[in-house]
Amino acid sequence: MKEASLPYPYERRRSRPRPASLKWSNWYLSILKLAVGLLLVLLVTLLWLLHRNEIDEQRSTLIADVLWLEQSVRFHLDGNSEQLQQLALDLTRARNQGELFDLRARHILKNNPELRQLLWLDTAARTVHGMPTQTLPRPGHEAGGENPVSRSVELARLGKPVYSDAYRTAETAQFEVYVPIFDDGQYRGTLLGVYSLTGLLKHQVPWWFAEKYQVRIVDGNGSLLASKSKIDASATTLSYPVAFDPPGYGMVLQVTAYRGADNLAQTLIATLIIVLAGAVFWSLWAVRGLIQRRLSAEQALRSEYAFRKAMEDSLMVGMRARDLEGRVTYVNPAFLQMVGFSAEELIGRKPPMPYWAPEEMERTLLLHNKVLEGKAPHEGFEIRLMRKDGSRFDALIYEAPLIDADGRQTGWMGSIIDVTARKHAEELARQQQEKLQVTARLVTMGEMASTLAHELNQPLAAITSYNAGCLNKLESGNFSAVQLKEALGKLGVQAQRAGHIIRRVHDFVRKSEPKLAPCDLAEVIDDSIGFIEGAAKNRGVRIVREIQGMRPELLADAVMLEQVLLNLMRNGIEAMSEAPISQRRLTIKLGQVDNQMEIRVIDRGPGVPPELVEKLFTPLFSTKADGMGMGLNICRSIIEFHHGRLWVENNPEGGSIFVITLPIGRQ
């Protein structure tokens, strides 16, 4: 039934006219077939061209490698010939020629394995010495009756090294080199070296060369003398011969490539056809997968952008991006709120920026150029900026390179922090610290009031005495001008002494801004000792000064350093109140350690317990019953203001050592 019904539908299909779309599809498919056929023709042509190009390149590479190998072997033979010539020259000068020959021959044979034998022949071509044996390589005569060794020796007597022709032995094919020995122009013999052709190829053909080529040495008749080969290269026709000279005599160095180009071309054609057949289907599937992955990546990118945008909008730190020319490319809401401008007013703007303060314009432009040059400080920099309403604020800015996805720098990203409130708080803290320092100085003066009164009492009593003496002289009428002048001079000295004490107290207690000026630490120590020496005597404490001779000047505030030393010395004196009189010694040491000046205040008191060392400089902490706990804290603040350090150590002899270090070269 199926066979009877087949012709009818088939005939109906043949008689039915084809629709226009089907004709267009057939035409389109024909074009595609023609394109594919043309593509295959082009591929075959391309493969043929690649095949020819590969053969040409392989032949060029072969010729270059053969010439390199021939040159390398020639240089090696010439080098060995030069060593033999040098040995010939040394033999004419040496006293013990036999030992010299054995030593040098053993060295040459060890470093040149292709040399099988070295012989020293006399003028009659007889063996004098030999290594490893003294047997001539060819003791017999040739077919014509001529001795080949004697013939080569005669040629060498002309003055140059001579190579023999190649010949076979039971083990290998070899040739010889003859180097004449002359002494003051007189012929004294010949050095004979025997080369193995097999050994020469073995040691002079690199492994990588043997991996690519078969190397053969043939004589003038085409007979094989030696070869080095990994596989059989007889199936290939890519070969290149070059004359093997030296030694010559028709020998040829023949190099043949292993790999056949035909097999490679066939492999390439088959591989390309298979790849071409599967590439169409794979490419469609790959494109589909790429589109899906791209859509997923775009969705992830939108989510990531929304997340980062929300994060940047929530920051209190201003963010500002600039390109390599300084043009603003991005600002976040925190920065806009900080400066009061809108994004439209800043994006795309080049310097000068509207938020730059006019009075800071020059410094701001200088810092801007440093940032673009990549010289922005890593620790950031502070600058004064201006809001849109004209008010100023202090900003701390950190700049970092802006790197794109390809690793290239496209600009700079800056983080801006408004530090106006912080700086105001720091200024208040500085003022409070200054008030505490003045208060501490007043407290110190109050505690030393009795001592200062005693110091002032002495010059005032002397002034009264000298004044009474002068009045008595004037009333008696029995005086001379010299006597009055001497008394008045002493009175003036005592008045100056009292004035110096008052001025020193005034300078110490008056409130003033820190003034950094060059000062000598020895003078600071002497002035401090002058203040407290009376109190030390009242407590039976002896103050010892140990100050180095040569001292560099420091840039410091002398009054503030006096305050520190007075506090430390007073603490040391009070700490020794319970110590025996013989041990009450307060030592002040001044010396230089590397690039710092070091002051040590050493007492012989009970010392500081280890558990209190960390708390000693803490505010409001005191070891005294009536102490405020601010003295040592103020002292450390003063030393840190001078970029120095203050700490305490235990005295090995008992007591404490307060150490102060101050840098020398600070400007």
Side-chain angles (χ1 to χ4, degrees):
M1 295 296 293
K2 290 183 179 180
E3 291 180 359
S5 61
L6 278 176
Y8 178 73
Y10 177 74
E11 291 296 328
R12 291 184 60 183
R13 285 196 297 270
R14 289 189 59 185
S15 61
R16 183 179 302 172
R18 296 183 180 181
S21 59
L22 185 57
K23 293 181 179 179
W24 182 85
S25 298
N26 291 336
W27 176 81
Y28 180 72
L29 291 175
S30 300
I31 295 296
L32 288 179
K33 292 178 181 178
L34 180 62
V36 172
L38 182 60
L39 177 62
L40 291 177
V41 171
L42 292 177
L43 283 175
V44 172
T45 305
L46 178 61
L47 290 174
W48 181 80
L49 292 176
L50 290 176
H51 169 69
R52 297 301 306 171
N53 185 51
E54 184 180 3
I55 292 177
D56 293 340
E57 288 184 359
Q58 190 177 14
R59 183 167 183 82
S60 299
T61 304
L62 172 63
I63 294 173
D65 290 344
V66 171
L67 293 178
W68 173 86
L69 179 63
E70 186 271 337
Q71 187 179 32
S72 176
V73 173
R74 177 183 296 179
F75 283 167
H76 183 73
L77 294 177
D78 291 344
N80 290 346
S81 178
E82 291 177 0
Q83 292 187 53
L84 294 179
Q85 291 180 34
Q86 183 63 42
L87 176 58
L89 180 62
D90 293 342
L91 287 175
T92 60
R93 301 174 181 175
R95 294 183 178 179
N96 195 338
Q97 297 175 336
E99 292 183 2
L100 176 63
F101 176 83
D102 290 343
L103 180 64
R104 295 283 293 277
R106 186 178 294 107
H107 176 75
I108 293 173
L109 291 175
K110 180 179 179 181
N111 293 330
N112 301 277
E114 67 276 4
L115 276 171
R116 303 190 65 193
Q117 188 179 17
L118 277 180
L119 298 174
W120 178 8
L121 308 180
D122 58 12
T123 55
R126 293 189 301 269
T127 303
V128 178
H129 288 281
M131 182 69 66
T133 65
Q134 297 187 8
T135 305
L136 289 174
R138 290 190 288 180
H141 294 274
E142 293 180 341
E146 184 179 5
N147 190 327
V149 175
S150 300
R151 181 183 62 192
S152 299
V153 168
E154 290 298 324
L155 292 175
R157 295 183 66 173
L158 297 177
K160 293 184 179 181
V162 173
Y163 289 89
S164 72
D165 58 341
Y167 58 92
R168 294 182 180 276
T169 64
E171 299 177 359
T172 181
Q174 58 190 29
F175 64 94
E176 302 148 0
V177 60
Y178 295 81
V179 178
I181 304 174
F182 287 94
D183 186 9
D184 293 333
Q186 297 294 323
Y187 174 71
R188 299 299 184 185
T190 306
L191 290 179
L192 187 155
V194 181
Y195 281 97
S196 168
L197 285 173
T198 302
L200 187 64
L201 292 182
K202 177 180 179 181
H203 296 96
Q204 294 304 311
V205 177
W207 64 268
W208 59 266
F209 200 95
E211 292 287 341
K212 295 170 60 178
Y213 307 108
Q214 180 191 58
V215 184
R216 307 168 69 216
I217 298 178
V218 298
D219 58 14
N221 298 324
S223 301
L224 179 64
L225 296 175
S227 68
K228 183 174 183 180
S229 174
K230 292 289 185 180
I231 60 175
D232 183 15
S234 58
T236 65
T237 58
L238 192 58
S239 179
Y240 187 78
V242 65
F244 187 39
D245 186 17
Y249 295 98
M251 283 194 292
V252 174
L253 187 65
Q254 189 176 52
V255 179
T256 305
Y258 289 143
R259 188 174 56 184
D262 295 335
N263 295 332
L264 177 61
Q266 293 175 2
T267 303
L268 285 175
I269 292 174
T271 303
L272 287 175
I273 291 176
I274 294 174
V275 170
L276 184 62
V280 176
F281 302 99
W282 177 85
S283 61
L284 293 175
W285 184 261
V287 168
R288 176 177 174 274
L290 287 175
I291 292 175
Q292 290 179 345
R293 287 195 295 271
R294 180 166 182 172
L295 292 175
S296 300
E298 289 178 355
Q299 181 63 29
L301 183 60
R302 284 192 292 268
S303 300
E304 183 69 18
Y305 175 78
F307 174 78
R308 291 185 177 273
K309 186 68 171 59
M311 182 175 62
E312 293 171 4
D313 292 346
S314 66
L315 288 176
M316 299 301 294
V317 177
M319 304 293 291
R320 175 201 59 195
R322 293 179 292 180
D323 60 16
L324 296 177
E325 297 179 357
R327 186 182 292 104
V328 176
T329 58
Y330 168 78
V331 286
N332 73 334
F335 181 74
L336 296 176
Q337 185 178 4
M338 194 179 297
V339 297
F341 291 92
S342 64
E344 291 76 13
E345 294 175 299
L346 298 180
I347 298 297
R349 187 73 178 264
K350 294 184 66 175
M353 300 300 177
Y355 50 82
W356 288 3
E359 66 274 11
E360 296 279 341
M361 186 66 67
E362 184 177 353
R363 178 171 175 266
T364 305
L365 185 59
L366 179 62
L367 290 172
H368 170 81
N369 294 333
K370 283 187 176 181
V371 170
L372 295 186
E373 294 172 2
K375 299 179 181 178
H378 298 290
E379 65 276 8
F381 57 88
E382 288 189 9
I383 196 169
R384 175 153 291 193
L385 300 177
M386 180 179 67
R387 297 185 178 91
K388 189 175 183 178
D389 59 7
S391 60
R392 270 61 169 172
F393 67 97
D394 295 312
L396 177 61
I397 301 178
Y398 297 92
E399 295 282 356
L402 194 60
I403 308 300
D404 64 6
D406 297 327
R408 296 175 300 182
Q409 181 177 353
T410 59
W412 297 89
M413 175 62 74
S415 301
I416 300 94
I417 305 172
D418 188 348
V419 295
T420 306
R422 191 196 72 184
K423 294 192 69 174
H424 180 67
E426 290 177 352
E427 179 63 21
L428 290 177
R430 186 192 65 80
Q431 294 176 3
Q432 293 297 329
Q433 185 70 18
E434 185 177 323
K435 292 179 181 178
L436 284 174
Q437 293 175 11
V438 175
T439 303
R441 289 199 291 269
L442 291 174
V443 171
T444 302
M445 285 294 98
E447 294 175 351
M448 298 174 58
S450 61
T451 302
L452 294 174
H454 177 72
E455 289 191 16
L456 283 173
N457 188 50
Q458 291 180 354
L460 291 176
I463 290 172
T464 303
S465 176
Y466 287 130
N467 182 62
C470 289
L471 291 175
N472 291 335
K473 286 288 184 180
L474 290 173
E475 291 177 358
S476 66
N478 183 18
F479 65 91
S480 63
V482 175
Q483 292 176 338
L484 288 178
K485 184 177 181 181
E486 181 180 357
L488 291 174
K490 293 180 179 179
L491 188 148
V493 169
Q494 295 300 323
Q496 290 178 357
R497 179 183 174 190
H500 177 71
I501 294 173
I502 294 173
R503 184 170 58 255
R504 190 169 60 186
V505 173
H506 176 264
D507 291 340
F508 185 77
V509 300
R510 69 187 176 94
K511 178 183 179 182
S512 63
E513 295 289 334
K515 295 181 180 178
L516 300 180
C519 66
D520 186 353
L521 288 182
E523 297 179 1
V524 175
I525 292 174
D526 290 340
D527 290 342
S528 303
I529 293 175
F531 271 123
I532 207 167
E533 192 169 17
K537 290 180 180 179
N538 293 338
R539 292 177 178 264
V541 177
R542 181 165 55 94
I543 300 178
V544 180
R545 298 167 64 258
E546 296 182 7
I547 299 176
Q548 74 174 33
M550 299 298 294
R551 301 176 302 276
E553 288 188 339
L554 294 182
L555 197 64
D557 189 314
V559 175
M560 296 177 73
L561 295 182
E562 285 182 16
Q563 179 180 353
V564 173
L565 290 174
L566 276 174
N567 198 315
L568 297 179
M569 288 190 291
R570 187 178 70 250
N571 289 345
I573 292 171
E574 293 176 354
M576 292 186 289
S577 59
E578 303 296 332
I581 297 295
S582 60
Q583 294 184 5
R584 296 181 186 180
R585 184 175 74 250
L586 184 68
T587 304
I588 313 298
K589 288 186 177 182
L590 173 63
Q592 182 175 349
V593 179
D594 297 330
N595 59 342
Q596 294 181 330
M597 294 301 295
E598 183 182 80
I599 304 174
R600 288 178 171 261
V601 181
I602 307 171
D603 64 61
R604 299 290 299 277
V608 180
E611 63 272 10
L612 299 181
V613 171
E614 296 296 331
K615 302 179 181 179
L616 201 60
F617 297 94
T618 305
L620 304 179
F621 176 80
S622 176
T623 57
K624 303 176 185 177
D626 56 349
M628 296 175 58
M630 296 300 295
L632 290 178
N633 179 259
I634 294 174
C635 290
R636 173 171 280 185
S637 299
I638 292 174
I639 296 303
E640 290 177 350
F641 170 77
H642 288 80
H643 299 275
R645 293 181 58 215
L646 170 62
W647 71 92
V648 65
E649 299 176 354
N650 288 324
N651 187 358
E653 300 178 358
S656 303
I657 302 175
F658 284 84
V659 186
I660 300 172
T661 58
L662 297 169
I664 295 174
R666 187 179 64 85
Q667 297 296 328

